[in-house]
Amino acid sequence: MTAIDTPVVIIGAGPVGLATALVLGRHGVRSMVFEQYDGVNPHPRAHVVNTRSMELFRTWGIADAVRADAVDPAWAGTILWKQTLAGEPLGRIDLVEGPEDQLLRRVHASAEQLTSCAQDRVQQHLLDAVLAQGMATVHYSTTVVEVTDHGDSVDVTVEGVGKRQILRTRYAVAADGATGGTRDRLGIAMDGSPVLGHQLNIYFHADLSPWTGQDPALLIWLINSASPGLLIGMDGVRRWTFQRSFDPAAESPRDYPPERCAQVIRDAVGTTELDVDIRSVGPWTMTARTAETYRSGRVLLVGDAAHQFPPTGGLGMNSGLADADNLGWKLAAVLAGCASDALLDSYERERRPVAVDHARHSVLNAMRMAEVGIGPETAGIAARLESPDPSVAAAERRRIAEAVPLQRPHFDALNQEIGYIYGASRHAVGAPLSATDYTPTAVPGARLPHAWVERDEERMSTHDLLMPGFTLITGPGGAAWADAFAETGDGVAKQTVVIGRDVTSPDGYCPKLLRIGEDGALLVRPDGHIAWHSAEGSSPASALAALLDAVGPS
């Protein structure tokens, strides 16, 4: 056994594992990351980077880099339904041409906007940030084969390059995905639907501009009998993935060599002449499952190790990034001695209900997609579209055209992205969030609402005021709060921001939005969620004595 002074070992160097390392590093905690593969997976899988994730990337300093690699907004706002790519549209959703109130709600809700950037590019930017930070070491081609919790430490057995080691650490974080194995070795069961379907993901390069140049779209759902599926533009130029149904009981990925995959793509496009460069092919199982617990002693689950959703909603990777942000500061507080180990139990209490609701939303989206030809009814709908009877085909086209606009909440669910409130009863089963109707609210458990403020003549978001610690935001008459805050919570990283002194709100909107008035205050946690709130001055000393409670279990 090798004793190490690295307090956290992270299993898996996907986006969520790297995000966990990055957040820990921001709080001064070193980590080691182990990944069984030899580097960043070049096969792009997830691509939606939602509003909350872009806010996190803004905080972590990589939003501009991700945005530079993202699909052009002219593509990202359009979703098409066609029979083949070369055919006429059956229906479309233009997110930038939606109801004005929804568009304004998005614009005013955040300094960042939902975008589309291929997962391999996101992962590379996270890796670059981790390496530049210098607080974590990332070890590729190294497999974690065993994790043993001793109660006061964890032994992690790793194998790589002909070498086997047992490393001792204080905590381990399992970010090894749905099939990584750590969760199963810990004996943690999953709730939900284990199999909703099987898909084959074909990653290829091709010039599809003859069909997309005049009518670009990020997602193109194709409904036909020859090659139905989903085309996703990964860069809006040459990088594409094609998702199609796959039956593992009757076939395997070996049945899809490059020549067959190229023909699958040509059939989907509706042409016999197309140069297709098949890069990789991978099967995956669509599930909706959540781990019964996110913690087993000193081992904690994040990302797909803790929850899996259908891709209908784009919430998988995004949920994992928020997991990392929630868990990272809590691990850091415990390791620094600012909070007891019990704080880590609040990670599950806060993040698991969000995952359950995300699973519900994603499954509902998948069920609704059956109305527009995606799912078990695809063959029947394709047959009607291809019927030799023109009246049958026309009727089916009309039905799809009417059903497509009803799919909008699938692609425009702002409240699902940023509206969850930790500890809110509406996360209970049977009390789901409204997917779209986001209203900013400054209550404990909610993400700090965004508002534009000015500091030193620079325009910035309220989110830009935060730090890797606790931030007290007060009204202009909040000096008593600031004085009491300075005397509270020894050893806890903290700062005070006074509106009217440190920053100004030119339109007066910020204090109204935050509901802090002249002498009120609110306390923001390191993950950007509100710990507590007081609309007006009360007893600062007694109120701020709650700081340690805020660090403690929520």
Side-chain angles (χ1 to χ4, degrees), residues 176-493:
D176 50 349
T179 60
T182 303
R183 182 193 62 245
D184 292 339
R185 286 193 289 269
L186 295 171
I188 298 176
M190 301 286 280
D191 290 333
S193 303
V195 178
L196 296 173
H198 298 278
Q199 295 280 309
L200 196 70
N201 186 326
I202 302 172
Y203 168 42
F204 67 98
H205 291 183
D207 179 12
L208 303 185
S209 60
W211 304 278
T212 62
Q214 299 303 313
D215 193 12
L218 175 66
L219 306 176
I220 307 171
W221 305 86
L222 304 174
I223 309 170
N224 58 72
S225 57
S227 185
L230 169 64
L231 271 174
I232 306 176
M234 288 294 171
D235 67 354
V237 184
R238 287 189 56 83
R239 303 179 78 218
W240 298 85
T241 60
F242 184 66
Q243 310 270 0
R244 61 177 276 140
S245 294
F246 174 75
D247 183 2
E251 53 187 352
S252 78
R254 291 190 300 274
D255 297 318
Y256 286 84
E259 315 82 61
R260 182 183 178 187
C261 288
Q263 189 58 48
V264 165
I265 301 305
R266 294 188 189 100
D267 289 341
V269 173
T271 183
T272 57
E273 301 295 329
L274 179 66
D275 183 18
V276 182
D277 178 11
I278 302 298
R279 311 293 291 196
S280 52
V281 180
W284 58 277
T285 302
M286 186 185 303
T287 65
R289 304 191 302 165
T290 309
E292 289 185 349
T293 179
Y294 281 21
R295 182 183 188 189
S296 176
R298 287 179 170 259
V299 186
L300 299 109
L301 311 181
V302 293
D304 283 357
H307 47 70
Q308 298 122 45
F309 320 133
T312 39
L315 294 167
M317 178 181 71
N318 294 290
S319 297
L321 295 172
D323 290 345
D325 200 43
N326 184 293
L327 176 61
W329 76 266
K330 293 175 179 177
L331 265 175
V334 172
L335 289 165
C338 297
S340 74
D341 178 86
L343 173 61
L344 300 180
D345 293 332
S346 71
Y347 163 62
E348 176 185 325
R349 286 202 305 275
E350 292 182 344
R351 292 302 303 166
R352 190 177 188 278
V354 177
V356 169
D357 190 72
H358 283 348
R360 173 205 60 82
H361 175 75
S362 302
V363 170
L364 181 60
N365 286 339
M367 294 171 62
R368 285 176 175 162
M369 287 294 282
E371 301 171 6
V372 288
I374 311 303
E377 303 301 318
T378 299
I381 293 175
R384 290 192 290 276
L385 288 171
E386 298 167 2
S387 172
D389 184 340
S391 64
V392 172
E396 188 63 16
R397 291 179 70 91
R398 286 194 300 272
R399 188 195 66 78
I400 292 175
E402 293 172 357
V404 163
L406 302 178
Q407 304 294 322
R408 188 182 180 95
H410 174 163
F411 307 100
D412 186 12
L414 181 61
N415 206 31
Q416 206 75 33
E417 299 173 42
I418 63 176
Y420 51 84
I421 300 175
Y422 295 144
S425 60
R426 61 178 174 165
H427 284 301
V429 175
L433 289 166
S434 165
T436 58
D437 296 333
Y438 169 73
T439 301
T441 181
V443 299
R447 148 198 168 277
L448 176 70
H450 154 74
W452 292 112
V453 295
E454 290 185 4
R455 181 168 62 188
D456 298 329
E457 299 183 352
E458 180 183 356
R459 186 172 184 255
M460 61 182 57
S461 169
T462 47
H463 295 172
D464 300 329
L465 302 174
L466 306 181
M467 61 172 290
F470 285 83
T471 299
L472 181 75
I473 301 177
T474 79
W481 289 105
D483 292 343
F485 189 52
E487 298 173 0
T488 308
D490 291 340
V492 176

Side-chain angles (χ1 to χ4, degrees), residues 101-122:
D101 61 331
Q102 281 186 232
L103 295 177
L104 290 175
R105 187 180 294 126
R106 270 200 175 274
V107 169
H108 294 311
S110 177
E112 298 290 342
Q113 296 297 318
L114 176 149
T115 190
S116 177
C117 182
Q119 179 175 320
D120 60 319
R121 302 290 172 85
V122 170

Side-chain angles (χ1 to χ4, degrees), residues 89-153:
L90 298 168
R92 74 170 62 232
I93 294 175
D94 289 316
L95 296 178
V96 296
E97 296 181 2
E100 184 177 4
D101 61 331
Q102 281 186 232
L103 295 177
L104 290 175
R105 187 180 294 126
R106 270 200 175 274
V107 169
H108 294 311
S110 177
E112 298 290 342
Q113 296 297 318
L114 176 149
T115 190
S116 177
C117 182
Q119 179 175 320
D120 60 319
R121 302 290 172 85
V122 170
Q123 190 170 339
Q124 185 63 55
H125 292 309
L126 284 165
L127 175 61
D128 292 344
V130 167
L131 297 179
Q133 186 185 65
M135 295 295 291
T137 56
V138 183
H139 304 265
Y140 287 103
S141 301
T142 307
T143 302
V144 174
V145 296
E146 188 175 352
V147 177
T148 304
D149 187 347
H150 295 292
D152 59 353
S153 63

